[in-house]
Amino acid sequence: MTGTGAGKTPGDPRALAAGRREAHERETRRSRVPSVLLSDGTEVETVVPRPPAPGGTLLGVAAAPGRVRGRARVVLDPSRAHLEPGEILVVPTTDPGWPPLFLTAGALVSETGSAVSHGPTVAREYGIPAVVGIRNTTRRITTGQWITVDGAAGTITLDTAAPPRGPGHANASGSPHAPTGRPCGHAAARVGKIGQAPARRR
């Protein structure tokens, strides 16, 4: 058992407890939760890094279909968060305390998870795109930044162009994520939905 008392006398509970305490303290110092860990605590991405993505693009795991462009909202604590309709929710991870924010989110971007984890499962139920497993997303994306989420390709494009203007820029597909009568800064635009996402529950 690497990091939990390996190499110590098997019958010495104090050595075993000390090894486990050391491993626990080491893990609590992590700034993020790795998507995949080896048995010795090594992060897989540090050993086998992902292939480089095109400039201005973040590559993650495709978790819920759809393609949306909108303003990002980085949220670390759901209990104190406020999300404008259509904003793209950017988070470190999710749990059952997060779904109220999915009601107004245009898409989900998460640092951790897989296609069957909590966030993407709820995203598919609400019919919004999701991309997960992008390291340090909450630091690489800033609140208010325009991004495009492609939930089928598993990519996030950091937009440099000006936001869309004119009528119909927010949600040409008729999705309820974008409000009516608001300036473009408050809404997400569905731009060529990829795949068929389930209808939003009412």
Side-chain angles (χ1 to χ4, degrees), residues 17 25 48 52 64 73 111-112 126 146 159 168-169:
E25 291 174 352
V48 185
R73 173 74 65 172
E111 292 184 343
T112 61
Y126 282 92
W146 278 83
D159 292 359
H169 70 269

Side-chain angles (χ1 to χ4, degrees), residues 15-184:
L16 181 61
R20 290 178 174 175
R21 186 178 301 110
E22 179 184 350
H24 177 266
E25 291 174 352
R26 182 177 64 250
E27 292 302 315
T28 57
R29 289 194 294 270
R30 291 184 186 271
S31 59
R32 58 179 291 276
V33 178
S35 298
V36 182
L37 279 175
L38 300 181
S39 59
D40 63 355
T42 301
E43 294 186 43
V44 172
E45 288 186 3
T46 64
V47 180
V48 185
R50 293 182 179 179
T57 300
L58 306 179
L59 182 61
V61 176
R67 192 165 184 255
V68 166
R69 183 177 189 237
R71 286 186 184 273
R73 173 74 65 172
V74 178
V75 177
L76 305 180
D77 181 358
S79 65
R80 302 179 180 181
H82 172 72
L83 205 67
E84 289 289 337
E87 287 186 325
I88 296 173
L89 183 60
V90 181
V91 302
T93 188
T94 66
D95 57 36
W98 289 82
L101 295 178
F102 286 53
L103 290 169
T104 51
L108 170 69
V109 176
S110 177
E111 292 184 343
T112 61
S114 68
V116 295
S117 60
H118 174 269
T121 299
V122 177
R124 289 192 296 272
E125 290 177 351
Y126 282 92
I128 62 175
V131 176
V132 301
I134 303 180
R135 187 171 185 172
N136 297 326
T137 310
T138 56
R139 282 182 270 180
R140 298 164 76 177
I141 296 175
T142 58
T143 293
Q145 182 177 9
W146 278 83
I147 63 176
T148 299
V149 179
D150 190 330
T155 59
I156 309 296
T157 303
L158 308 180
D159 292 359
T160 56
R165 301 286 180 182
H169 70 269
N171 197 4
S173 67
S175 165
H177 304 312
T180 57
R182 286 181 180 271
C184 62

